[in-house]
Amino acid sequence: MAPQYLPPRILERILERLTPPLEQEPLIGDFQETFSRLALERGRVCALVWYIGCVLRLLIILVKTTLIWRLEMVKKDIKMAVRQMTKHKGYSGINIFGLAAGLACTLFILLWVQNELSFDRFHKKARSIYRVEQDQKTSEGIFHVWDVPFVLGPALQAEIPEIKNYARSFRYLRGQLVRYGEKVFYESVVGAVDPSLFQIFSFPFIQGNADTALKQPSDMIISETMAEKYFGRENPIGKTMTLNNNYPFTVSAVLKDTPPNSTLQLHIIVPMDFLKTIGRYHEEWGSNSTTTWVEVDKTASIKAVNEKITRLVRDRRGKSAQESRQEFMLKPLLDIRLNEIFGYCQRLGSLQYVRIFSTVALFVLLIACINFMNLSTARAANRAKEVGMRKVVGASRRIVARQFYVESIVTTSMAALLSVVLVLLLLPVFNSIAGTQIEISRLFQRNYFGGILAITVGAALLSGSYPAVLLSSFHPIRVLQGKLKSGAKSALFRKALVVVQFSLSILLLISASVVFRQLNYMRTKELGYDKEHLVYMQMRGETRKKYETLKEELLKSRYVVSVTGSSLQPSRLVGDTGGGADWDGKDPDYQVILGVSFVDFDYPETMKIEMAAGRTFSREFSSDRGGTYLVNEEVVKLMGIDAEEAVGKRLDFVMDGTIVGVMKNFHLQSPREAIEPRVFLIDNSELNFVVVRLQAGNITAAVEDVKRIWQRVLPLYPFEFRFFDDDFERMYRSDERMGKILEVFTVMAFLIAGLGLFGLVSYAAEQRTKEIGIRKVLGASMTNIVTIMSKEFILWVITANLVAWPLGYLVMRKWLQGFAFRTGIAWWLFAAAGLGTLAVAFAAVGFQTIRAARTDPVKALKYE
Amino acid sequence: MKGLTRKEELILLTIRALDRDAYLVAITDHLASAVGERMTLPSVHVPLTRLEKMGYIASELGEGSPVRGGRRKKIYRITKAGYRALNEYKRISENLWEAVSSQTGRKD
């Protein structure tokens, strides 16, 4: 007997599908017989090719005969949909525009959310990279920082086996004078890192490579932009750049510019050892001054590693560790953007906004979908006859439903298209409001585009299903007899939807106005100092030694009111904190963390800070040069005494001294931060900044004058200054931005909801033309009619208000708790939101009702 | 008599020639050797279905064989109507050919 060859099972299965069931057995048999004969005569491959050919040919025939006909049906549905749309241009316009606006909002928000979520994910090892952070426990609570000792990194790698690698990165060295040939700039983006950073993180190199880039102590890595800035078209590799006129470096590699969604931003990179050269490196275990990144074994338990680090530091610090109880923990790199925490539980991460905006996106989309559902069902009565006719001539419920689904898909697709166009057009605007750098290409990335498609289809199904189910359920006979009035049930549902829609809008409105008020409050609240006409300059290198001369010269100018100095950036008093303060009558177990600022005489006077008690620094007391403290009210509060009592108290913190004065609280932090307890003392050798109060009036001339003086005293150093107001703006920017986004989307939500209401009302007016006509004939006045028409709609809106108020209150109370300084939620906000929505509702309703009421009753009655 | 296409006529003739063993593959093979060009199975099957529908042929399920995976054959057999139709076609074409040959005879 001939050996038997069998065609592949899968192909046979397909073939079975393609053959008519009655003749399936003999036909498949015929195919197989031919197959095995071909295999025998010409080989298996040939037979296989033949078999596949047969299957394909049959498939093509099937597609031709069946699918095309089905498509033809869908084509018909689409044609019907387009006819419906062109016939009722107003409704379709409202539908499409409303949906498009809703979708565009959603797309923007998704883009933003995705941008936030994408932070740092481009590193290949992102999942196993952690930052070492620590909690410092004080009596005030837990103070969280992500600076750790320089010596921690090497010890971690040596002693904890789970930690595979470490890299330290020092925050930017501010104000470095960078020189290449003739080109000299101040750069505040010079960073010092360990070479291993490039093994842990995957920053792409353009020239040079990760292994050798920072090998030599004089190696330097620069970014593409920096290379452009200093070298133009020259090849930067091997060229020498000088830092602060003193330290030559050789460019060994060029990095591709760090993407905006990276936590670490690299511009000019020098080896960690440079910090030793300039004396910024500290060997002590008690000094927390660098960021340390570690790569942890994937299988390791993070909790166990945390404990090991804490124990390690405790052992190394020995006795001193007992004083400030530290606990170390690893923070996943991917968690930093969303969940960054600093200080006393300040949440700097954007998780909160990611959540808020995702909810907002959902709301706006929902509002837009509800519009669609409402308008479609409202028109049900008009289309009932159409449905009845279709059913009479033989359409099944399924076919009728499909018609409505296709209609909603056509509408949503058009809306989706429009929304993509809107997003493309408005993306630059959005970027500037949100402060992001989202590129247009992001929109067309595979997963994002898939998202758009999913949302569109989802919205189409969501908004199409209710009308489809409702309208397809009509009984043809009753419909054609004209007995169907838009049923009470569907009217109730519609009302409920409008209430939901307006509740959501009101919720957004209340939230937006609370946010706005909070932002406004933060902007205008009593700062405790006068930020107008206040500028500061940073002193670098040699300039410090000339501080006294500079001050003297500046004070001679008629534009300058007063001059002082500060060790910290004067517009943002953060950092330089420490524990171990002691004073008379302090409970020895009481742990506090105080901040310290070194200043010059005239500090409170220049800043215009008021004194709560005691005196300011004075040249008449020689002890004031480093022997006395000014403190802010927070310190006094910590000590548990009155301001008056504090004056004259002994305080041992930086040195053993006396408190001579208490300054009223002044706010030089971000709005979320509470005012830190801080002490001030005079030490001119620690000053890094000159603070100058200018005469109000001609500020430009004043700045010019200051510049002239600076150049005379310090001819070698370029003059750079900053206004306090500018820094102030900067600190508030991120919250301002979020507020702006929220505002825009609230307006959009209202617009869409209002549009929907407008559509509903105009429909209702059309429906009731006859009724209105009869009422008018019987003597109803225009006011009567407008009242009758709008009463119902207004009632819905009021209900929506009642639903939204308590929700809004709860949500906003929660949000405000994130701020150290916050406003209350005023009752009138709710009233205003209510009035606002009523106004929108009236605008939507009024126009239509008045038009309906003004029509000539004769025309109204004659129209059939 | 319903009209037959040339292909259907050939297939009908083949079934008659094959007598008792006329199933799809055998018909296709026979046609291939007679015509000199191989047709695909579906393109033979479609006229077969039509012929059956018109009542010129009838079919029954025969036996299976291992080479067919045990599936039975559908064996076609010519009906009386089929015979008549074939004879009719034969007569028509003979008549026509006769006219042709008498004409050519006169010419030569």
Side-chain angles (χ1 to χ4, degrees):
Chain A
M1 219 190 108
Q4 211 181 320
Y5 292 101
L6 291 175
R9 192 75 201 121
I10 300 182
L11 291 177
E12 210 171 74
R13 277 272 164 81
I14 300 174
L15 204 58
E16 275 171 21
R17 286 256 151 149
L18 296 174
T19 45
L22 267 178
E23 285 188 275
Q24 201 171 343
E25 186 185 334
L27 274 174
I28 303 285
D30 290 330
F31 274 107
Q32 187 175 332
E33 189 181 331
T34 319
F35 176 83
S36 44
R37 204 168 63 200
L38 268 175
L40 204 62
E41 288 167 6
R42 293 198 230 161
R44 226 181 121 70
V45 178
C46 181
L48 203 63
V49 169
W50 171 81
Y51 204 89
I52 292 172
C54 287
V55 171
L56 281 183
R57 219 170 309 159
L58 283 172
L59 265 177
I60 291 166
I61 290 168
L62 178 91
V63 168
K64 269 191 192 152
T65 50
T66 56
L67 280 186
I68 297 226
W69 282 108
R70 261 182 221 171
L71 272 179
E72 204 58 35
M73 287 299 284
V74 174
K75 225 165 89 185
K76 181 219 79 179
D77 282 340
I78 292 175
K79 202 180 209 172
M80 293 292 292
V82 172
R83 278 186 194 159
Q84 275 292 335
M85 280 163 64
T86 41
K87 194 172 162 197
H88 304 282
K89 287 199 187 71
Y91 298 126
S92 345
I94 289 175
N95 258 343
I96 293 176
F97 181 74
L99 260 182
L103 276 174
C105 288
T106 315
L107 290 184
F108 273 129
I109 292 175
L110 284 184
L111 272 175
W112 183 83
V113 167
Q114 202 208 19
N115 186 50
E116 290 301 305
L117 296 182
S118 72
F119 258 74
D120 295 320
R121 285 192 194 267
F122 63 94
H123 298 294
K124 286 193 191 74
K125 295 180 186 165
R127 281 178 195 288
S128 42
I129 303 175
Y130 294 83
R131 183 168 70 183
V132 186
E133 306 192 345
Q134 60 168 315
D135 277 345
Q136 298 170 345
K137 288 186 188 145
T138 71
S139 306
E140 286 298 290
I142 293 168
F143 196 79
H144 191 88
V145 294
W146 53 75
D147 278 350
V148 294
F150 276 105
V151 278
L152 181 64
L156 287 181
Q157 198 186 10
E159 294 186 25
I160 299 178
E162 288 96 325
I163 293 181
K164 295 203 290 199
N165 206 348
Y166 78 94
R168 294 164 296 178
S169 66
F170 192 75
R171 49 169 188 267
Y172 297 135
L173 293 158
R174 307 234 167 250
Q176 301 293 303
L177 195 62
V178 181
R179 175 191 298 278
Y180 169 70
E182 292 296 295
K183 290 192 177 159
V184 190
F185 298 99
Y186 277 125
E187 297 290 359
S188 49
V189 290
V190 178
V193 306
D194 283 318
S196 51
L197 189 90
F198 296 101
Q199 261 121 42
I200 297 177
F201 293 89
S202 20
F203 291 107
F205 282 81
I206 292 177
Q207 283 177 292
N209 67 58
D211 296 329
T212 57
L214 279 183
K215 267 273 152 57
Q216 303 299 321
S218 64
D219 278 347
M220 177 187 261
I221 301 178
I222 56 176
S223 68
E224 219 178 330
T225 312
M226 285 298 165
E228 178 93 1
K229 181 170 171 187
Y230 284 91
F231 298 97
R233 301 177 145 223
E234 262 181 90
N235 180 1
I237 299 291
K239 300 274 162 43
T240 301
M241 291 177 96
T242 316
L243 281 192
N244 296 335
N245 292 332
N246 237 339
Y247 309 102
F249 282 93
T250 315
V251 177
S252 65
V254 179
L255 274 178
K256 212 174 157 76
D257 277 338
T258 323
N261 56 354
S262 168
T263 304
L264 272 175
Q265 292 287 337
L266 307 179
H267 302 279
I268 297 177
I269 300 298
V270 296
M272 209 65 186
D273 283 348
F274 178 64
L275 295 181
K276 284 182 185 159
T277 320
I278 59 168
R280 299 285 288 272
Y281 187 92
H282 308 290
E283 296 276 359
E284 306 86 39
W285 279 89
S287 134
N288 296 315
S289 34
T290 186
T291 312
T292 300
W293 305 91
V294 291
E295 185 190 340
V296 180
D297 196 77
K298 280 201 177 82
T299 56
S301 145
I302 296 304
K303 215 172 153 206
V305 176
N306 288 347
E307 276 162 22
K308 282 183 190 175
I309 302 175
T310 307
R311 217 171 313 129
L312 185 145
V313 177
R314 210 162 281 167
D315 289 350
R316 293 297 166 90
R317 287 196 68 181
K319 245 180 83 192
S320 60
Q322 302 303 317
E323 286 168 22
S324 72
R325 284 156 295 166
Q326 286 168 295
E327 206 159 294
F328 286 83
M329 64 275 306
L330 297 179
K331 179 103 174 168
L333 172 69
L334 294 183
D335 215 20
I336 288 176
R337 176 66 184 183
L338 295 177
N339 267 325
E340 192 157 56
I341 295 173
F342 184 81
Y344 292 113
C345 218
Q346 284 170 49
R347 302 197 161 272
L348 303 182
S350 58
L351 187 67
Q352 189 195 19
Y353 283 115
V354 166
R355 286 207 186 119
I356 292 178
F357 287 146
S358 304
T359 320
V360 171
L362 194 73
F363 280 9
V364 175
L365 193 63
L366 212 63
I367 291 172
C369 285
I370 289 178
N371 267 358
F372 186 92
M373 284 159 85
N374 273 345
L375 286 178
S376 320
T377 46
R379 279 166 55 207
N382 271 8
R383 302 196 61 183
K385 273 200 180 124
E386 177 195 333
V387 173
M389 275 312 288
R390 280 168 182 281
K391 284 196 163 178
V392 166
V393 294
S396 67
R397 182 171 179 178
R398 218 174 49 122
I399 290 177
V400 175
R402 193 184 64 194
Q403 166 75 38
F404 286 109
Y405 274 117
V406 169
E407 263 174 43
S408 69
I409 286 172
V410 169
T411 315
T412 36
S413 324
M414 289 175 80
L417 225 67
L418 188 61
S419 71
V420 170
V421 173
L422 280 177
V423 169
L424 289 181
L425 289 177
L426 296 177
L427 193 60
V429 181
F430 180 81
N431 270 338
S432 74
I433 295 178
T436 48
Q437 294 167 42
I438 299 167
E439 283 158 16
I440 283 179
S441 62
R442 184 73 70 78
L443 197 60
F444 296 104
Q445 270 169 13
R446 187 150 34 102
N447 47 6
Y448 194 74
F449 208 69
I452 298 179
L453 221 65
I455 290 174
T456 313
V457 172
L461 291 183
L462 180 69
S463 47
S465 53
Y466 182 67
V469 170
L470 177 83
L471 294 179
S472 64
S473 70
F474 288 160
H475 196 282
I477 297 173
R478 255 179 282 159
V479 164
L480 291 178
Q481 278 177 335
K483 278 189 181 155
L484 185 114
K485 284 278 146 230
S486 33
K489 216 166 80 186
S490 77
L492 191 72
F493 188 71
R494 214 150 55 224
K495 277 179 211 164
L497 285 181
V498 171
V499 171
V500 170
Q501 217 178 9
F502 268 84
S503 302
L504 294 179
S505 313
I506 295 162
L507 192 59
L508 285 179
L509 180 65
I510 291 175
S511 312
S513 44
V514 171
V515 170
F516 184 76
R517 237 167 72 90
Q518 169 68 14
L519 295 176
N520 205 37
Y521 169 75
M522 294 188 311
R523 266 178 172 285
T524 55
K525 87 175 155 336
E526 206 50 58
L527 290 171
Y529 73 99
D530 183 4
K531 68 178 173 5
E532 308 297 328
H533 318 306
L534 208 51
V535 297
Y536 66 91
M537 286 85 75
Q538 189 170 2
M539 297 187 289
R540 304 166 164 104
E542 294 297 300
T543 45
R544 278 204 195 87
K545 291 176 194 152
K546 294 280 185 85
Y547 170 73
E548 294 291 348
T549 331
L550 185 66
K551 181 172 179 177
E552 228 169 86
E553 292 295 315
L554 282 170
L555 283 173
K556 283 181 195 157
S557 160
R558 64 189 174 93
Y559 291 108
V560 173
V561 179
S562 71
V563 178
T564 188
S566 165
S567 58
L568 291 170
Q569 183 180 343
S571 60
R572 185 165 157 75
L573 280 185
V574 174
D576 275 5
T577 53
D582 193 22
W583 58 84
D584 286 336
K586 172 177 170 287
D587 177 355
D589 291 332
Y590 191 48
Q591 297 282 335
V592 292
I593 287 193
L594 295 181
V596 58
S597 289
F598 296 98
V599 294
D600 188 17
F601 287 106
D602 310 322
Y603 182 75
E605 290 85 348
T606 309
M607 301 284 288
K608 291 201 181 163
I609 298 166
E610 280 178 47
M611 299 300 292
R615 59 172 179 88
T616 70
F617 292 126
S618 161
R619 289 181 184 78
E620 281 159 32
F621 298 86
S622 61
S623 63
D624 276 0
R625 292 191 186 273
T628 54
Y629 290 106
L630 283 184
V631 298
N632 64 5
E633 284 174 315
E634 290 300 310
V635 176
V636 179
K637 222 184 279 170
L638 273 187
M639 298 168 85
I641 47 177
D642 285 347
E644 298 294 342
E645 285 178 82
V647 178
K649 272 244 179 216
R650 191 185 67 87
L651 174 67
D652 184 1
F653 182 43
V654 187
M655 46 89 217
D656 200 352
T658 329
I659 298 173
V660 293
V662 179
M663 292 184 279
K664 281 195 173 158
N665 271 342
F666 53 99
H667 204 84
L668 281 167
Q669 288 88 14
S670 102
R672 287 170 184 267
E673 296 167 293
I675 295 174
E676 290 174 341
R678 183 168 286 278
V679 302
F680 299 80
L681 64 160
I682 292 181
D683 185 345
N684 281 3
S685 66
E686 293 277 352
L687 300 182
N688 293 312
F689 295 88
V690 195
V691 182
V692 180
R693 177 166 296 282
L694 303 172
Q695 200 71 256
N698 193 345
I699 292 297
T700 331
V703 170
E704 274 308 308
D705 202 41
V706 171
K707 182 178 179 182
R708 220 174 42 242
I709 295 165
W710 174 282
Q711 281 166 344
R712 202 168 62 227
V713 180
L714 301 156
L716 287 175
Y717 290 83
F719 174 71
E720 277 179 14
F721 73 102
R722 300 188 60 85
F723 277 103
F724 269 61
D725 337 21
D726 290 345
D727 283 9
F728 180 80
E729 288 291 322
R730 197 171 308 244
M731 254 184 306
Y732 288 64
R733 197 174 291 160
S734 81
D735 280 312
E736 294 267 338
R737 277 181 173 149
M738 298 305 139
K740 266 268 167 32
I741 299 179
L742 196 62
E743 252 170 66
V744 171
F745 289 125
T746 305
V747 170
M748 288 309 292
F750 256 90
L751 205 71
I752 298 167
L755 210 59
L757 198 61
F758 179 79
L760 271 187
V761 176
S762 55
Y763 174 75
E766 195 186 298
Q767 286 293 97
R768 293 165 78 173
T769 317
K770 223 185 232 175
E771 179 195 326
I772 293 168
I774 293 171
R775 280 181 193 277
K776 282 191 91 168
V777 169
L778 294 179
S781 70
M782 208 176 93
T783 340
N784 288 140
I785 288 168
V786 172
T787 321
I788 289 165
M789 291 281 297
S790 25
K791 204 170 62 192
E792 195 188 16
F793 293 103
I794 300 305
L795 211 65
W796 300 350
V797 172
I798 290 172
T799 319
N801 267 302
L802 294 181
V803 173
W805 286 355
L807 279 176
Y809 179 75
L810 291 177
V811 172
M812 286 336 279
R813 202 180 56 178
K814 186 98 201 339
W815 182 76
L816 281 175
Q817 276 162 4
F819 288 87
F821 291 88
R822 55 176 177 254
T823 49
I825 306 175
W827 64 267
W828 57 263
L829 275 182
F830 295 89
L835 284 178
T837 40
L838 277 179
V840 171
F842 265 121
V845 173
F847 175 69
Q848 282 296 330
T849 48
I850 290 170
R851 204 174 70 173
R854 282 176 72 168
T855 42
D856 186 348
V858 180
K859 265 186 210 152
L861 291 176
K862 223 169 59 178
Y863 85 109
E864 263 182 355
Chain B
M1 193 191 73
K2 290 167 205 158
L4 290 179
T5 65
R6 173 83 178 139
K7 199 179 189 179
E8 282 159 358
E9 191 191 336
L10 288 178
I11 288 172
L12 198 57
L13 200 54
T14 308
I15 291 172
R16 190 177 161 183
L18 285 172
D19 196 17
R20 296 222 161 270
D21 200 27
Y23 70 104
L24 187 57
V25 178
I27 297 168
T28 316
D29 287 349
H30 190 89
L31 274 173
S33 60
V35 181
E37 198 183 317
R38 204 172 173 85
M39 283 186 263
T40 63
L41 294 182
S43 68
V44 179
H45 181 254
V46 171
L48 275 173
T49 319
R50 203 168 111 87
L51 284 170
E52 196 175 1
K53 218 177 183 175
M54 291 191 292
Y56 293 136
I57 55 174
S59 68
E60 62 195 4
L61 288 178
E63 272 162 30
S65 67
V67 82
R68 298 173 58 84
R71 293 186 184 85
R72 287 171 295 177
K73 294 170 179 170
K74 188 176 188 181
I75 294 171
Y76 297 93
R77 138 185 90 67
I78 195 157
T79 59
K80 278 196 181 127
Y83 271 113
R84 269 204 300 278
L86 267 185
N87 290 337
E88 184 70 19
Y89 271 93
K90 195 185 168 203
R91 198 179 52 76
I92 292 170
S93 54
E94 271 170 5
N95 284 349
L96 289 171
W97 275 111
E98 222 159 87
V100 173
S101 58
S102 60
Q103 207 176 34
T104 48
R106 210 185 302 159
K107 208 176 185 181
D108 294 331

